[in-house]
Amino acid sequence: HVPHFEKMLYDNAQLVSLYAQAYQYAPNELYKQIVYQTLDFIKRELTSPETGFYSALDADSEGVEGKFYTFSYHELFEVLGDEASLFCTYYNVVENGNWPEENTNVLFRNKTDEALANELNIPVDQLKVRIKQARDKIFAYRAQRIRPGLDNKILTAWNGMMLKAYTDAYRVFNEAVFLDIALRNANFLLKNAYKDGKLVRVYTSAASKKTIEAFLDDYAFTIDALIALYEVTFDEEWLLQAKQLCDVTINHFYDQPSGLFFYTSKFAEQLIANKQEITDNVIPASNSVMAHNLAKLGRFFDNAEYQQIAAQQLRNIFPHIKKYGSAYSNWAALMLDEVFGVFEIAITGAEADAKRRELEKYFIPNKILLGGTSGSLPLLTDKWGATTKLFICKQHACGLPCTEVSQAIKQIF
């Protein structure tokens, strides 16, 4: 229950996406709460005035790890008075400290609200209200402390991950503010990190500072986010931008002989060795993300080259997956798409967005979404009409169109 207290943008981005998808699969209010509280933290602590996302908050303040986030038993009683006992029970705070090495307490939970309310013989709604009021007081008290240091670098790759997180949260919870922040961040990235037809690694407002050319992960995660943004807006400009960046990536990073992408551009300053990042770690490998991107864009644009490159990447990695599964988990997810197939779901007509929102109540991980009220994608050809319709397709072969999501779902499950 004692974490490393550094707050990384990429961890929070992936957790938001994970818990949003978890809620979609098995609706649980705790999952939703985690998404909302995490994005509140991002907005409060790691968002620049221009809606770029900062990299991290340090683990320590005043030279002590976790000092900003931990509390003594007596400190909580001084702040909360009569409500301290309930708060301490809720967060497992003890007089001698639940982190005895530092003689302090880390606030953590190991019981649900329902279980604890039953144990304390109080209504669960009353428990939630009292805990929220106490937490707000502690939050205000904590705000007076010396804060951890802020790493204010705005990295393109990590911003792409956080942009994707906001689109995932919007997709599942239909919260307008999530889409608004996603759109503002996407516009920020394309305005500030996209220069002369290429991405840069780090955004800086200082004109005199030299820009660093982007690496493969900067392109991969930005493309991934732009594809996701198209799927929640049906605005083709985002998908066309993703395709443009994909073409740059192939031109600058793809190595035909190996069938994989280099991590640094072939046109950058010569290195002793130009590595190819293939193992998924705390962040998915840039090659695995690009393989997913190419497979998706290949379906959206009916582009055989994209699909062939993605397939070759997966063939290269396939022998390694069974030897060390956790190091190739994102590759394995792509392999699942190949085994089970991907649903190409087109929704066209005036009510397309409403039908999209209804469809997103179902967990369908192996799908792409396209449509809206107009569009030029090959799969949308001859699918426009006065009535809003859903088309469930696989490999561009579509079933009979339907007008209700419930009918479409029967073609999937």
Side-chain angles (χ1 to χ4, degrees):
H1 71 263
V2 179
H4 178 50
F5 289 91
E6 188 174 21
K7 306 289 193 295
M8 304 301 299
L9 182 65
Y10 62 78
D11 285 328
N12 283 279
Q14 292 177 99
L15 286 168
V16 166
S17 293
L18 174 66
Y19 277 99
Q21 291 177 61
Y23 183 90
Q24 193 181 42
Y25 176 74
N28 181 320
E29 282 303 307
L30 181 60
Y31 301 159
K32 181 177 181 179
Q33 184 183 82
I34 289 169
V35 169
Y36 276 67
Q37 289 183 349
T38 303
L39 292 180
D40 282 346
F41 162 79
I42 294 298
K43 185 177 180 182
R44 184 179 68 245
E45 304 286 352
L46 293 181
T47 303
S48 76
E50 313 98 320
T51 318
F53 301 120
Y54 299 131
S55 293
L57 280 179
D58 289 348
D60 60 283
S61 53
E62 301 181 75
V64 179
E65 183 174 351
K67 186 172 183 178
F68 188 74
Y69 305 102
T70 56
F71 301 87
S72 73
Y73 181 81
H74 299 292
E75 189 177 19
L76 292 174
F77 270 84
E78 288 177 10
V79 177
L80 296 177
D82 293 340
E83 287 295 278
S85 181
L86 176 63
F87 189 83
C88 290
T89 299
Y90 191 86
Y91 284 111
N92 291 283
V93 173
V94 295
E95 190 166 5
N96 294 327
N98 62 33
W99 186 12
E101 294 85 354
E102 297 294 333
N103 194 33
T104 189
N105 288 279
V106 176
L107 305 185
F108 76 96
R109 297 174 56 194
N110 56 6
K111 294 180 181 177
T112 65
D113 288 340
E114 290 75 16
L116 187 59
N118 184 61
E119 186 179 304
L120 298 175
N121 197 28
I122 61 176
V124 66
D125 290 342
Q126 183 187 122
L127 173 68
K128 290 179 179 180
V129 168
R130 289 172 64 185
I131 290 298
K132 183 184 184 307
Q133 291 172 343
R135 190 166 54 234
D136 289 346
K137 287 182 181 179
I138 294 299
F139 189 81
Y141 169 77
R142 193 189 73 174
Q144 301 171 34
R145 293 176 168 177
I146 295 174
R147 302 179 58 76
L150 172 68
D151 180 349
N152 63 1
K153 291 194 301 295
I154 297 178
L155 299 176
T156 300
W158 296 3
N159 270 251
M161 297 176 78
M162 198 69 233
L163 170 55
K164 174 72 179 304
Y166 269 103
T167 64
D168 285 339
Y170 173 69
R171 182 167 52 83
V172 174
F173 300 110
N174 193 35
E175 192 74 56
V177 68
F178 295 161
L179 179 60
D180 177 61
I181 293 173
L183 290 169
R184 284 193 278 145
N185 178 253
N187 284 307
F188 167 83
L189 283 176
L190 294 180
K191 178 182 177 182
N192 296 288
Y194 191 42
K195 299 180 184 296
D196 302 321
K198 297 183 294 183
L199 291 176
V200 297
R201 175 69 170 176
V202 185
Y203 163 72
T204 173
S205 58
S208 60
K209 287 190 177 181
K210 183 180 179 181
T211 58
I212 301 172
E213 191 169 330
F215 300 122
L216 181 61
D217 57 346
D218 297 301
Y219 284 91
F221 287 113
T222 302
I223 293 167
D224 184 31
L226 292 173
I227 293 171
L229 194 54
Y230 165 74
E231 290 186 290
V232 297
T233 63
F234 292 150
D235 182 347
E236 258 181 39
E237 285 302 312
W238 300 119
L239 202 58
L240 292 170
Q241 188 66 68
K243 183 179 185 300
Q244 186 174 342
L245 288 175
C246 187
D247 290 338
V248 173
T249 309
I250 293 171
N251 184 40
H252 283 252
F253 295 86
Y254 187 58
D255 179 51
Q256 185 81 38
S258 68
L260 292 166
F261 289 83
F262 288 125
Y263 185 68
T264 55
S265 170
K266 294 180 290 186
F267 304 110
E269 294 180 13
Q270 190 64 39
L271 302 174
I272 296 174
N274 196 350
K275 70 172 183 175
Q276 292 175 327
E277 188 182 65
I278 62 170
T279 55
D280 298 315
N281 205 291
V282 293
I283 294 176
S286 48
N287 260 282
S288 71
V289 179
M290 273 308 302
H292 278 273
N293 291 340
L294 286 160
K296 288 180 182 178
L297 290 172
R299 292 184 174 93
F300 278 119
F301 291 100
D302 195 18
N303 187 309
E305 180 192 10
Y306 291 174
Q307 293 173 317
Q308 288 165 4
I309 294 174
Q312 184 60 55
Q313 286 180 277
L314 185 57
R315 281 194 293 270
N316 292 342
I317 302 302
F318 176 77
H320 302 289
I321 297 176
K322 65 180 179 180
K323 297 177 183 177
Y324 190 5
S326 63
Y328 299 95
S329 53
N330 203 38
W331 293 105
L334 181 62
M335 189 171 70
L336 282 173
D337 285 347
E338 293 301 315
V339 171
F340 289 98
V342 173
F343 293 102
E344 302 146 348
I345 304 176
I347 312 174
T348 60
E351 300 298 318
D353 191 57
K355 297 297 183 184
R356 178 198 63 78
R357 292 197 304 269
E358 186 179 349
L359 182 75
E360 292 290 17
K361 294 177 181 177
Y362 298 87
F363 180 68
I364 311 169
N366 54 327
K367 74 176 189 304
I368 61 169
L369 280 176
L370 63 161
T373 54
S374 63
S376 61
L377 297 173
L379 195 60
L380 297 176
T381 302
D382 300 326
K383 290 183 172 61
W384 307 105
T387 305
T388 299
K389 293 181 180 179
L390 296 93
F391 301 82
I392 307 300
C393 315
K394 264 192 174 183
Q395 297 182 329
H396 284 219
C398 303
L400 292 174
C402 51
T403 58
E404 299 299 329
V405 170
S406 58
Q407 297 167 334
I409 289 298
K410 289 179 182 178
Q411 297 183 40
I412 297 173
F413 297 114

